[in-house]
Amino acid sequence: METTDFSQPIRQSSKGIIIIFAFNTFNFFKKFFVLFIAFGVSIMRRKTFGGITPTMMLLGLVAVLIIILIIAILKYLNFKFYLNKDDFHLATGIINKDNTIIPKSKIQNVYIKQNFLQQLINVVSVKIETAGDKKSEIEISALDKPTALLLKKKLFTKATIENDQEEYIDDTEVFFKVTPKRLLLEGLSQNHFKSFLLIFTFAFGLYNEFKDFLEALELEKHIDDFVKLDEHTILNLIITNVIIVVVVILISFLFSVVKTFIINFNLEVVEHQKTIEINKGLFNKVSLSLTPSRIQNLVITTNRVKQYFNLHSLSVKQAMVNVKQQKNFKIVALEKEQLNYLVNKLLITYNGEGEPGKPRPYFMRISALEMLVFGIVINGLSVFFFGVQMLLINTIFIPFAVLYVYFAFKKAYYIISDDFVTIGSGVIDTTTNILEIHKIQAVKIKQTIFQNRRRIASVVISTASKSVTIPYVSKSEALAIYNFLLFKVESQDKDWM
Amino acid sequence: MNFTNLQIQTENLPKVEGLVLKPISKSYFKIIMLNKLAIYAGLIGLVFGLKYVIEKKEEVQLNLYYMLSAVVVFCIFNFIVSLLAFKKRKYAMREHDVVYAKGLIVHSITTVPISRIQHVEESRSWLARYFGLSTLKIFTAGEAGSDLSIKGLPHLEAKQMKEIISDKVNGNN
């Protein structure tokens, strides 16, 4: 196998031209999409537009494409990178030359990604992320896979531990590989409320579009019959409604399953000596590495159905990872033992022990209040749009609200041990949030003017990736937690990264 | 290891509740007041403008006094709340952290350990310069939620705090 020498400035694979070209073309069309439509329509109508004929338009389009191609080639020619002992150097820019230098020690993450086009021409893109702002991200869009892997490894190995490299390779093993069956279960057991709502609104939108058409089908008459409470039509209507609901539910199931499959296709967790690597994706293949010291929060989610199938997901929150990328740090369909193993790998001393504390019953009052507001809005809307009969919705809504309040309170707890904070929450899902105390960035006590009288307060704990809240504990408890966490953070000389 | 153990420990821990928080400079209230007055003037102007536009277009008589009194009541209420809230704006600096408390309706006390601060910034608007005040902005690595911005500090004190924090942050690294 030929190895690439990174110490000399090199270009990416020449296929990079295609990638850059495709990317720029796509962006160009996205930007001027509306303009194109407008032009297209007016030309269709009048054959000419200000003396411009369709042929001229076509020629113009070709010219634009050629310009984009030339830009792509120039970009490719001017894109060079090399590695020396501790830094990564990158030179870009056609007219304005940019020189970027990233010290190896400041690199947060290296992703290897492969979108559909890149899969077709068999290249991968390498993304290098530092802890700085979003602009400091670097993407090399076309490298062949062995080169990319080598580059990634070189970026992660510091000059001093170059000798350990062989050992480093030997220790990798595929720890977890998802089976299609478990992915299917994962997709099926998801919280369908979101996709249900999405599809429902979509269907509702469609219905509004085709309203005239449906009116032609004399639906109006059916509704009139319904008001008359004719037994036969009621039965019909109920059947139609049930069919509609079942179809929507089926579609939302399908939607969830397909989505899960596309995102998590061939999900694989590879265990290295110190890091963990995640590989997944069907159209967009991604490969990510997790370093324990970079992890800020761990979020474990499951729900009743998933628990039955022994399915757990683990999200890893890192500092400064942009929102889009954040989603990729999720490992789904883990078994309980695998989950525990992974958690222990990432947080070495974590054992989940400690005495759990509960929020005050005041928590239920707030949830109930939320539900009340929600209920008023729902009732108001349905009465406004569909008339007084829709008050029947409360027969479904009230039990739902009661269950919501009950489960929200039941599932809320917190554990504070010597090194970790664990917070449980969720209603339909069961969510467990784990963070290491020395990674805390700030602590806040929050209390509304009404809570002041009841001596209740909430504690908000911020890390570099997200904030979590211990809701509605008694003021003295909140202060004790507050003081303890601050004491822990300030007395230890541990770095957060 | 567990929380009950902690309860005994807490007796000896440094307490935030015993901390004497320092109120921010009184002249900062003048800045708040000026800002508020500008907003109120805008609102009242809007009422007159609205009346003028609507009555010209349609033949609807809007009761100017009702609208005006509603707006004025809102302004007075808002003013009282901001006056009371102003008294809640307090800060303190301890050996290892910076504490900032604010808010009347939602009161919050935020503490940022100095070892977690990425950088400090002291900024002054032209109004603040006139009153000799400045704003101390403290940035951590976290999301926006964990950053502090202490407004209305006396200029000298803000400068000193900035120096102290910078020194400590750089000393730690």
Side-chain angles (χ1 to χ4, degrees):
Chain A
M1 198 178 82
E2 64 172 316
T3 49
T4 320
D5 182 19
F6 288 112
S7 57
Q8 295 302 315
I10 50 168
R11 299 197 174 103
Q12 47 191 327
S13 153
S14 53
K15 290 168 183 168
I17 299 173
I18 305 174
I19 303 291
I20 300 172
F21 175 67
F23 184 71
N24 284 352
T25 317
F26 178 71
N27 270 352
F28 178 78
F29 278 99
K30 208 168 87 183
K31 258 181 207 161
F32 295 104
F33 185 67
V34 182
L35 214 69
F36 275 117
I37 298 278
F39 259 126
V41 168
S42 64
I43 281 175
M44 287 289 199
R45 285 220 180 120
R46 286 188 273 161
K47 297 287 177 200
T48 55
F49 181 79
I52 301 171
T53 57
T55 3
M56 280 172 82
M57 274 288 283
L58 210 66
L59 281 177
L61 203 68
V62 170
V64 166
L65 285 182
I66 288 171
I67 290 170
I68 295 177
L69 183 65
I70 290 171
I71 291 175
I73 292 171
L74 284 175
K75 258 192 187 166
Y76 162 75
L77 288 176
N78 285 294
F79 190 98
K80 284 181 183 173
F81 61 91
Y82 70 96
L83 266 176
N84 68 8
K85 226 173 176 187
D86 345 81
D87 309 307
F88 174 82
H89 295 250
L90 175 75
T92 54
I94 304 167
I95 297 165
N96 295 322
K97 301 283 183 193
D98 278 331
N99 246 317
T100 316
I101 301 169
I102 303 178
K104 273 186 189 175
S105 57
K106 295 283 184 250
I107 292 173
Q108 270 265 7
N109 270 307
V110 178
Y111 311 123
I112 294 181
K113 290 199 331 192
Q114 204 177 21
N115 64 24
F116 196 58
L117 182 66
Q118 284 166 333
Q119 282 182 49
L120 276 183
I121 59 174
N122 198 20
V123 290
V124 297
S125 74
V126 177
K127 211 170 192 176
I128 301 170
E129 207 182 55
T130 57
D133 59 324
K134 275 167 199 149
K135 278 183 188 162
S136 60
E137 251 174 43
I138 282 176
E139 189 167 357
I140 303 171
S141 48
L143 283 177
D144 56 281
K145 198 153 188 201
T147 317
L149 287 177
L150 193 66
L151 177 65
K152 182 178 174 181
K153 209 162 67 196
K154 289 243 164 138
L155 285 172
F156 269 129
T157 36
K158 282 171 195 135
T160 44
I161 48 165
E162 201 87 51
N163 310 338
D164 297 337
Q165 210 172 301
E166 266 136 78
E167 218 178 307
Y168 180 76
I169 305 165
D170 288 341
D171 254 25
T172 63
E173 67 171 292
V174 177
F175 161 70
F176 169 70
K177 203 165 162 45
V178 80
T179 55
K181 191 187 147 207
R182 285 182 72 79
L183 260 192
L184 182 72
L185 285 175
E186 169 75 29
L188 283 176
S189 60
Q190 245 167 30
N191 185 350
H192 289 285
F193 268 98
K194 245 187 227 164
S195 33
F196 183 80
L197 275 181
L198 204 77
I199 286 159
F200 191 77
T201 39
F202 180 70
F204 195 73
L206 269 188
Y207 168 74
N208 271 345
E209 288 292 310
F210 293 103
K211 215 173 183 176
D212 300 335
F213 178 68
L214 285 175
E215 262 167 23
L217 289 177
E218 295 181 337
L219 203 81
E220 205 68 22
K221 221 168 112 192
H222 282 278
I223 292 171
D224 283 343
D225 289 342
F226 176 56
V227 180
K228 271 185 227 149
L229 296 176
D230 186 342
E231 244 175 66
H232 186 64
T233 34
I234 279 192
L235 198 69
N236 265 348
L237 203 83
I238 286 174
I239 289 171
T240 330
N241 276 342
V242 165
I243 288 173
I244 289 173
V245 167
V246 166
V247 166
V248 169
I249 287 175
L250 275 181
I251 292 174
S252 63
F253 267 61
L254 199 71
F255 186 76
S256 300
V257 169
V258 169
K259 205 173 125 202
T260 314
F261 261 94
I262 287 176
I263 294 174
N264 297 307
F265 187 73
N266 265 346
L267 172 70
E268 202 179 62
V269 180
V270 183
E271 196 179 351
H272 295 274
Q273 207 170 35
K274 278 190 190 130
T275 60
I276 279 171
E277 192 184 302
I278 306 173
N279 299 317
K280 64 178 180 179
L282 182 60
F283 296 124
N284 257 318
K285 278 190 190 168
V286 284
S287 162
L288 322 146
S289 294
L290 300 174
T291 323
S293 63
R294 304 269 192 259
I295 293 164
Q296 307 293 326
N297 292 56
L298 286 185
V299 183
I300 301 163
T301 27
T302 183
N303 61 34
R304 261 291 151 75
V305 187
K306 280 186 187 175
Q307 251 168 18
Y308 178 75
F309 291 123
N310 201 3
L311 295 165
H312 303 263
S313 347
L314 176 71
S315 292
V316 181
K317 311 271 181 207
Q318 289 183 301
M320 295 293 174
V321 176
N322 63 37
V323 187
K324 214 174 147 194
Q325 206 60 251
Q326 194 80 264
K327 280 186 203 151
N328 284 328
F329 287 94
K330 194 174 177 188
I331 309 170
V332 296
L334 284 166
E335 280 170 30
K336 187 84 184 164
E337 300 83 59
Q338 291 168 328
L339 176 80
N340 286 341
Y341 182 81
L342 264 186
V343 169
N344 272 327
K345 172 99 186 175
L346 297 173
L347 308 173
I348 291 152
T349 53
Y350 184 74
N351 53 12
E353 275 172 19
E355 209 168 291
K358 289 285 284 178
R360 311 293 306 162
Y362 180 81
F363 183 94
M364 285 202 275
R365 190 185 302 223
I366 292 288
S367 306
L369 214 63
E370 273 168 19
M371 275 291 116
L372 189 70
V373 171
F374 186 53
I376 288 170
V377 170
I378 276 198
N379 274 317
L381 281 180
S382 48
V383 168
F384 184 74
F385 280 113
F386 303 103
V388 187
Q389 297 104 332
M390 273 311 273
L391 282 179
L392 278 175
I393 203 171
N394 285 328
T395 53
I396 304 169
F397 178 73
I398 289 172
F400 168 75
V402 170
L403 283 179
Y404 176 91
V405 173
Y406 173 72
F407 277 113
F409 182 66
K410 200 183 158 204
K411 287 184 178 179
Y413 72 93
Y414 65 90
I415 299 172
I416 290 168
S417 63
D418 258 4
D419 296 314
F420 301 98
V421 178
T422 313
I423 297 171
S425 61
V427 183
I428 294 166
D429 288 339
T430 307
T431 312
T432 315
N433 230 305
I434 307 168
L435 63 98
E436 285 172 280
I437 287 180
H438 71 265
K439 286 184 176 163
I440 291 172
Q441 297 280 340
V443 199
K444 183 163 140 186
I445 282 192
K446 235 166 88 179
Q447 188 182 39
T448 64
I449 202 165
F450 311 107
Q451 288 161 6
N452 191 16
R453 277 187 305 159
R454 301 175 195 282
R455 317 252 333 129
I456 279 171
S458 305
V459 185
V460 182
I461 304 166
S462 307
T463 65
S465 59
K466 72 182 273 192
S467 297
V468 289
T469 309
I470 301 177
Y472 315 124
V473 291
S474 69
K475 183 87 190 271
S476 53
E477 222 168 326
L479 282 170
I481 294 169
Y482 194 80
N483 290 331
F484 176 71
L485 291 180
L486 282 174
F487 166 73
K488 271 288 181 187
V489 172
E490 287 161 11
S491 61
Q492 296 170 319
D493 200 18
K494 273 187 181 168
D495 219 356
W496 63 276
M497 220 179 84
Chain B
M1 202 67 204
N2 55 35
F3 195 67
T4 41
N5 192 6
L6 168 81
Q7 292 279 358
I8 305 156
Q9 270 184 2
T10 43
E11 310 293 307
N12 312 323
L13 290 182
K15 283 178 187 151
V16 76
E17 56 266 42
L19 195 64
V20 183
L21 294 166
K22 229 168 153 183
I24 62 168
S25 168
K26 284 226 166 59
S27 35
Y28 186 67
F29 190 66
K30 291 176 197 159
I31 295 182
I32 293 180
M33 227 157 63
L34 283 174
N35 283 332
K36 291 275 174 198
L37 282 178
I39 293 170
Y40 299 155
L43 274 177
I44 290 168
L46 206 70
V47 170
F48 280 106
L50 211 66
K51 184 182 160 62
Y52 181 73
V53 170
I54 288 175
E55 282 197 349
K56 225 180 177 185
K57 264 192 182 166
E58 294 152 41
E59 296 296 307
V60 194
Q61 276 286 326
L62 288 173
N63 197 326
L64 182 68
Y65 291 102
Y66 278 151
M67 275 170 69
L68 209 58
S69 51
V71 168
V72 167
V73 165
F74 167 78
C75 289
I76 290 171
F77 182 71
N78 185 284
F79 187 78
I80 292 170
V81 167
S82 58
L83 175 66
L84 290 175
F86 176 76
K87 290 183 179 161
K88 296 274 182 186
R89 292 189 190 214
K90 287 175 178 177
Y91 68 96
M93 201 161 94
R94 294 196 284 187
E95 227 176 307
H96 294 289
D97 49 33
V98 182
V99 185
Y100 183 46
K102 66 164 199 253
L104 173 73
I105 294 167
V106 181
H107 184 66
S108 68
I109 308 170
T110 313
T111 305
V112 176
I114 289 177
S115 57
R116 296 292 180 265
I117 293 172
Q118 296 288 309
H119 75 275
V120 227
E121 195 182 300
E122 181 217 341
S123 71
R124 313 177 74 192
S125 64
W126 64 272
L127 215 58
R129 273 203 299 277
Y130 181 77
F131 287 111
L133 299 175
S134 53
T135 302
L136 190 70
K137 290 182 181 165
I138 294 173
F139 296 92
T140 64
E143 299 277 281
S146 58
D147 292 342
L148 276 190
S149 151
I150 306 177
K151 291 170 182 161
L153 287 172
H155 179 48
L156 243 152
E157 192 163 351
K159 230 174 168 176
Q160 278 170 355
M161 278 174 82
K162 188 188 150 201
E163 299 278 291
I164 295 170
I165 293 171
S166 304
D167 279 354
K168 283 198 178 176
V169 169
N170 292 332
N172 278 348
N173 286 350

